[in-house]
Amino acid sequence: MVFEILDENNLCSYYSYDQNPGINQKSVVAKNKYEFLDDEDVKKQLLDFTDSKISTVTFFIPDMHCASCIWLLENLIRLNPSIQNSRVNFLSKKLSVSFLTQEISLRKIVELLTAIGYEPLISFDDLEKKDLTDSNRKLYYKIGIAGFSFGNIMLLSFPEYLSIDTSSEILKQTFAFVILLLSLPVFFYCSWDYFESAYNGIKQKFINIDVPLAIGILALFGRSLYEIVMGYGPGYMDSFAGLIFFLLLGKIFQQKTFDILNFDRNYKSYFPISVTIIKGKEEKVIALSKLKIGDRIVLRNGELIPADSILFNGNGSIDYSFVTGESAQVEKMPGEMLFAGGRQIGSKIEIEVLKEVSQSYLTQLWNNFSFDKRNEGGITLFANNVSKYFTVVILLIAAVSFFYWLPQNIDTATTVFIAVLIVACPCALALSTPFTMGNSLRIFSKNNFFVKNIGVIEKIAKLNTIVFDKTGTITFPSRSDVEFVGDSLTDSEMERIITLMKNSSHPLSKKISEFFGFNSEIKIENFKEIASLGISGEVDGLRIKAGSPKFLSDDLIGDKLETDSVGHSSSKVYISINKEVRGFFKIKNVYRVGIKEMIRLLSKNFDLHILSGDNSSEKNNLMEIFPGSSNLLFNQSPFDKLEFIRKLKANGKKVLMVGDGLNDAGALSESNVGISIAEDITSFTPASDAILKASELNRFADFIDFSKKSLKIIYYSFGISVVYHIVGLGAAVQGLLSPLFAAILMPLSSITVVVFTTVSTTLIAKRKGFL
Amino acid sequence: MSVIIILILFSILIAGGFLIAFLWAVKSGQMDDKYTPSVRILFDNDEETKINKENNNSNKNVSK
């Protein structure tokens, strides 16, 4: 189908650009899925720009993956001439389209994209746009200016470095004046963030790394300004500009952002952007934000319940796996309560909204609990802790040397005081963290472990407890191992059973039919599906029934139905053929590759626990994998999980939560570090500190170990910078700190730290096989 | 010696020109996407490919 569209428009070279273009086509979408895009309010929020002639819009297209995709998406104009222009940003997977407002609607464009296999992802979250590019550009501006000034000041300081006799007073004055001019933008523009951050820190009675940094910068600039104005020479402006340049460089190094990932998703991203409501007898699509209590919504197969409501009409069969992690459907009768987050499977239902979207059970997970943890992100813990003592010690040394020199000469005393502050500027310390952690971040992301920011790596290094979710985290979410227990079935019998299963939308039937995967065209007669009991039908003369023991009780032959515990039976499907019970299908989770080994490695250093929303049918298997001291808890609600994490934390544990679903969202945010597991990293993941691609889970122990080593590297480089500080301070307190000495010492210490951190992280990563 | 002052002013002027060029590049969004342009430049225009193909064909014909 895609080929036809392309061929018609002479776009077949699509297939020649990359090895394997094309993507799996998603199941055909409902006809009116994008009806809400005709709504004026939704349009207004989505469009970047619009007037009577031209509109522009930006889509996020998760399926974009190769050069051919770029080519095709940038040639949309040939598919529909009303599209004026389309531009791709591949790294952030964004497509911006400008089109003729009169000739084509937003909905048509989205449907066109969907038809060629690039369905844009439009979520509730998108409607509240935030732009990061501005802050990114600002950093580039600053680096450009600082680099320019740094280079030119160095050039103008050369005569002084080489002690060339500049007896010409005019020349000396001009040089100093030009240097001053060059350093002004560095001081007032490039270094402003540090003053601001230091000021904010002091205001909150918290000495962060920027406080000593700001003191140092201020002393450096102030002293040099004084020297230039007094006509003594250019002062330390070269060191000053150089330091700012290095610091900004460190900033850009640590600021590796993953455009395509979103670590701060809240429930809004999961919810549909619009709902169909019934007013009188008309069906109308409205934006979710306009949904009011008392509205009546129509839900079709596969649609999500957006707010707590009452089932009004129809047979509810709700899949809450999204919320609880357990893959079982719950049957609901009209008049029963439905919680937001459930998914309707089967026929159409009508529900009446009871609570607002933001007040529903699921969304309370986000609203009730403080999400302060998110705010502290980005602050590097170690550097901040050290800077407290650092600042005090430096001020003390400066004061002591000031008073030591005071009896001799107030001028010398002031000079020494300032010199101590200049040397003490902890740039090496401030650089070690961004460069080490920035490099680690890069190395991790190459190995499909995406960490939100550098502070998280530091936190990972200090953990001592790990809590795993079961389904989807340490097991495969969709794959299961199915085994038939009982009388052996012939191939033709099996084929008929699977054919019957294929007609059911129950998760267990789906798992069984997917596992065996017959593809036959046998006709089924008298197909019946009885909710929460089972299915029956006649396939090619065989009367087959499949379902729970209760469903088969007519055909019961005692010994084949060993109904052990209730929990266990839920992952068994009993089969009878022609009124004779033949046995049951046993459905087991499939554990991810390498889990056992990983758990063995981790159990040496960590307390391990399992929290599962599922029933306890896997308990015995898990007990083999996990050490005896672990807690294995089943049937845990999202709130139970959160409570468990909270208790661990109250006992002074540093907790890492590893989970995958929305049911873990509370626990992920409550834990010290929350890591979400994703099969496909562009798919939705709950808010977390890091996203790990599922296939890399077996290397998890290595990742943690590497984080610890990174932290150690920071400690070592801190040691290096202390050595430099002692040398510098030694000179400073004796009043021997010349501008030349400073110009060599300060960049040297910065460069040593930068080289040491990057080289050592890279070496360790190579040894671990990360690079 | 005062000639050196003029030289320095010129050198800073030139360097400043490059700085402005850099700032302009950032402002116009060239730093926002550092990957896609590298791919985009490799795409052929279809018209050209057609002509090339025809050329190839005619060449083959000649050689026959």
Side-chain angles (χ1 to χ4, degrees):
Chain A
M1 194 180 90
V2 172
F3 178 77
E4 282 164 24
I5 301 178
L6 296 183
D7 193 36
E8 228 167 76
N9 296 283
N10 200 6
L11 286 175
C12 270
S13 39
Y14 169 64
Y15 294 99
S16 62
Y17 278 119
D18 218 324
Q19 291 293 322
N20 41 7
I23 33 185
N24 297 332
Q25 249 195 302
K26 302 277 157 66
S27 49
V28 183
V29 281
K31 228 182 191 174
N32 52 2
K33 182 175 177 189
Y34 290 111
E35 204 178 300
F36 68 92
L37 289 176
D38 289 334
D39 185 90
E40 283 303 321
D41 280 328
V42 173
K43 255 198 227 168
K44 216 181 270 169
Q45 280 173 299
L46 281 174
L47 292 173
D48 301 328
F49 166 81
T50 182
D51 65 14
S52 56
K53 273 186 192 159
I54 281 188
S55 306
T56 55
V57 63
T58 308
F59 297 115
F60 175 63
I61 299 182
D63 286 330
M64 196 189 290
H65 70 286
C66 65
S68 295
C69 305
I70 301 177
W71 184 79
L72 180 58
L73 288 170
E74 296 205 333
N75 280 296
L76 281 181
I77 181 171
R78 292 206 248 167
L79 294 178
N80 190 323
S82 308
I83 294 173
Q84 291 286 294
N85 184 21
S86 51
R87 280 299 243 199
V88 168
N89 183 337
F90 187 74
L91 291 185
S92 52
K93 303 207 173 198
K94 285 207 172 98
L95 171 74
S96 53
V97 181
S98 54
F99 57 96
L100 296 173
T101 318
Q102 303 292 332
E103 309 216 342
I104 188 167
S105 70
L106 186 61
R107 180 180 169 189
K108 282 261 168 59
I109 293 177
V110 172
E111 281 170 354
L112 172 69
L113 285 170
T114 310
I116 56 173
Y118 298 101
E119 185 172 4
L121 200 121
I122 304 168
S123 76
F124 207 152
D125 238 8
D126 289 352
L127 298 183
E128 296 148 18
K129 278 182 189 159
K130 22 187 172 155
D131 211 359
L132 278 173
T133 47
D134 264 10
S135 69
N136 241 335
R137 282 186 190 176
K138 231 179 199 160
L139 194 53
Y140 279 117
Y141 289 147
K142 285 182 178 170
I143 287 188
I145 291 169
F148 165 78
S149 301
F150 172 49
N152 281 297
I153 293 175
M154 280 274 263
L155 217 63
L156 294 172
S157 306
F158 247 89
E160 201 162 342
Y161 294 162
L162 305 174
S163 336
I164 293 168
D165 176 35
T166 44
S167 50
S168 155
E169 204 48 39
I170 301 171
L171 213 60
K172 208 173 153 188
Q173 290 294 323
T174 322
F175 273 36
F177 180 70
V178 174
I179 285 175
L180 177 63
L181 273 188
L182 286 169
S183 60
L184 286 179
V186 180
F187 183 75
F188 285 105
Y189 182 62
C190 305
S191 65
W192 206 246
D193 284 350
Y194 295 100
F195 295 124
E196 228 171 57
S197 153
Y199 176 70
N200 286 335
I202 290 171
K203 221 168 56 181
Q204 291 165 16
K205 297 195 175 126
F206 173 72
I207 296 182
N208 55 21
I209 181 79
D210 288 335
V211 174
L213 216 52
I215 295 176
I217 294 171
L218 214 59
L220 204 52
F221 184 77
R223 173 77 203 177
S224 318
L225 187 68
Y226 170 78
E227 286 197 4
I228 291 172
V229 170
M230 297 305 283
Y232 297 147
Y236 307 86
M237 283 304 188
D238 47 348
S239 315
F240 163 71
L243 287 182
I244 300 293
F245 179 64
F246 280 121
L247 285 171
L248 291 172
L249 224 54
K251 241 187 189 171
I252 215 157
F253 201 78
Q254 68 168 296
Q255 208 182 38
K256 165 116 181 144
T257 48
F258 307 107
D259 291 331
I260 49 165
L261 300 181
N262 191 343
F263 294 100
D264 300 313
R265 282 202 179 102
N266 62 16
Y267 64 92
K268 288 177 179 172
S269 318
Y270 291 86
F271 278 17
I273 206 162
S274 68
V275 284
T276 318
I277 60 166
I278 299 186
K279 257 199 181 150
K281 285 202 168 168
E282 259 179 277
E283 283 192 13
K284 208 178 124 198
V285 177
I286 63 161
L288 186 58
S289 50
K290 285 199 219 153
L291 192 66
K292 286 190 299 287
I293 295 175
D295 280 347
R296 205 162 288 170
I297 313 175
V298 181
L299 283 186
R300 295 188 179 78
N301 183 17
E303 287 186 330
L304 208 68
I305 303 170
D308 292 354
S309 15
I310 274 188
L311 182 58
F312 195 74
N313 207 346
N315 279 325
S317 172
I318 313 296
D319 175 11
Y320 276 115
S321 62
F322 201 45
V323 186
T324 59
E326 191 174 6
S327 54
Q329 277 158 289
V330 186
E331 305 303 326
K332 294 279 180 186
M333 287 299 158
E336 280 190 89
M337 177 89 179
L338 304 175
F339 292 111
R343 202 180 279 283
Q344 162 67 4
I345 307 288
S347 57
K348 187 168 103 172
I349 53 170
E350 277 176 46
I351 59 173
E352 193 173 298
V353 179
L354 280 186
K355 284 183 184 169
E356 279 178 40
V357 176
S358 59
Q359 297 300 317
S360 296
Y361 169 78
L362 183 66
T363 46
Q364 274 176 11
L365 268 180
W366 274 273
N367 297 335
N368 269 355
F369 307 104
S370 59
F371 272 61
D372 295 343
K373 189 182 76 164
R374 306 273 160 246
N375 299 334
E376 74 188 50
I379 297 174
T380 50
L381 314 160
F382 172 69
N384 281 326
N385 285 338
V386 170
S387 62
K388 235 181 291 172
Y389 306 103
F390 191 86
T391 315
V392 174
V393 169
I394 290 306
L395 287 177
L396 226 74
I397 293 176
V400 167
S401 41
F402 178 75
F403 285 112
Y404 174 81
W405 286 97
L406 194 58
Q408 296 185 22
N409 186 342
I410 183 134
D411 269 357
T412 328
T414 327
T415 314
V416 168
F417 183 76
I418 300 282
V420 170
L421 293 185
I422 289 173
V423 167
C425 180
C427 2
L429 177 60
L431 284 173
S432 66
T433 312
F435 275 92
T436 314
M437 292 311 191
N439 206 15
S440 307
L441 203 77
R442 227 166 290 264
I443 289 161
F444 279 157
S445 66
K446 265 189 195 145
N447 291 277
N448 290 319
F449 180 39
F450 301 91
V451 181
K452 185 175 163 189
N453 59 43
I454 61 170
V456 173
I457 302 183
E458 217 173 310
K459 282 196 222 156
I460 291 176
K462 290 174 180 162
L463 297 166
N464 55 25
T465 307
I466 304 179
V467 180
F468 289 96
D469 167 53
K470 194 199 78 182
T471 326
T473 304
I474 56 175
T475 67
F476 286 103
S478 50
R479 229 162 78 193
S480 17
D481 208 6
V482 181
E483 188 189 355
F484 187 77
V485 183
D487 301 342
S488 57
L489 298 168
T490 62
D491 278 356
S492 70
E493 279 173 333
M494 187 65 114
E495 190 181 344
R496 283 162 179 78
I497 292 171
I498 302 306
T499 313
L500 181 75
M501 297 262 185
K502 273 199 174 150
N503 279 276
S504 159
S505 60
H506 193 278
L508 287 181
S509 328
K510 271 191 183 159
K511 275 182 183 167
I512 295 171
S513 59
E514 266 167 32
F515 184 78
F516 290 101
F518 283 102
N519 218 348
S520 67
E521 301 288 323
I522 310 171
K523 264 208 179 139
I524 302 168
E525 282 159 45
N526 294 327
F527 179 77
K528 250 192 251 164
E529 181 156 10
I530 299 171
S532 73
L533 281 175
I535 50 173
S536 65
E538 273 176 49
V539 189
D540 206 15
L542 295 179
R543 244 194 90 66
I544 301 172
K545 278 172 116 179
S548 67
K550 215 169 140 196
F551 183 59
L552 271 66
S553 56
D554 304 347
D555 322 322
L556 219 154
I557 299 174
D559 56 302
K560 299 238 172 66
L561 288 181
E562 22 135 355
T563 35
D564 21 28
S565 75
V566 187
H568 276 227
S569 60
S570 69
S571 13
K572 286 178 187 170
V573 176
Y574 290 85
I575 299 291
S576 79
I577 299 176
N578 292 336
K579 298 217 160 196
E580 187 195 344
V581 177
R582 304 291 290 267
F584 56 84
F585 285 106
K586 202 168 156 188
I587 294 143
K588 288 190 295 190
N589 290 128
V590 182
Y591 289 91
R592 290 187 193 279
V593 187
I595 286 291
K596 241 183 186 167
E597 177 64 14
M598 179 195 90
I599 298 292
R600 198 183 59 78
L601 282 174
L602 287 177
S603 61
K604 284 181 198 158
N605 299 318
F606 295 94
D607 295 337
L608 302 173
H609 305 286
I610 283 268
L611 292 179
S612 175
D614 229 338
N615 59 54
S616 58
S617 57
E618 286 288 325
K619 194 168 184 180
N620 290 331
N621 288 333
L622 285 168
M623 268 158 72
E624 278 172 32
I625 300 176
F626 280 82
S629 59
S630 319
N631 274 317
L632 306 175
L633 300 173
F634 298 94
N635 295 315
Q636 297 281 302
S637 77
F639 288 94
D640 293 338
K641 290 186 177 185
L642 194 145
E643 226 16 77
F644 184 78
I645 303 278
R646 193 169 276 181
K647 255 186 225 150
L648 284 176
K649 272 175 82 184
N651 289 333
K653 306 277 190 196
K654 299 262 183 233
V655 188
L656 169 70
M657 173 77 203
V658 188
D660 74 316
L662 204 53
N663 59 325
D664 304 316
L668 285 172
S669 56
E670 181 63 32
S671 58
N672 295 87
V673 178
I675 297 180
S676 47
I677 299 287
E679 295 296 321
D680 169 14
I681 49 151
T682 53
S683 66
F684 273 147
T685 46
S688 55
D689 297 304
I691 298 170
L692 176 64
K693 197 170 178 196
S695 54
E696 310 291 330
L697 187 64
N698 53 353
R699 293 165 81 189
F700 196 57
D702 276 342
F703 288 131
I704 293 181
D705 193 45
F706 187 75
S707 308
K708 287 190 172 168
K709 293 227 161 85
S710 302
L711 194 59
K712 261 194 199 136
I713 291 172
I714 293 185
Y715 292 155
Y716 289 142
S717 53
F718 180 59
I720 294 175
S721 82
V722 163
V723 171
Y724 277 112
H725 276 132
I726 289 172
V727 174
L729 281 174
V733 292
Q734 293 171 54
L736 296 174
L737 185 77
S738 68
L740 180 61
F741 186 72
I744 294 169
L745 182 82
M746 302 187 71
L748 192 66
S749 70
S750 304
I751 290 168
T752 326
V753 164
V754 169
V755 170
F756 170 73
T757 52
T758 39
V759 168
S760 49
T761 39
T762 309
L763 278 180
I764 292 174
K766 277 213 172 120
R767 204 180 302 158
K768 285 210 167 289
F770 284 155
L771 283 177
Chain B
M1 273 304 258
S2 60
V3 69
I4 206 129
I5 292 174
I6 295 166
L7 287 178
I8 279 176
L9 286 181
F10 265 111
S11 80
I12 287 178
L13 219 62
I14 290 166
F18 282 106
L19 176 68
I20 288 166
F22 173 74
L23 295 182
W24 168 80
V26 174
K27 190 166 195 256
S28 66
Q30 291 181 33
M31 293 290 178
D32 295 349
D33 181 4
K34 285 164 235 152
Y35 178 80
T36 325
S38 71
V39 179
R40 195 177 285 137
I41 199 166
L42 299 174
F43 295 143
D44 308 319
N45 290 328
D46 271 12
E47 286 78 356
E48 285 172 31
T49 14
K50 261 186 212 162
I51 294 165
N52 284 342
K53 269 183 197 164
E54 276 161 23
N55 284 346
N56 286 343
N57 289 343
S58 56
N59 286 344
K60 272 175 206 162
N61 291 341
V62 170
S63 61
K64 269 176 198 173

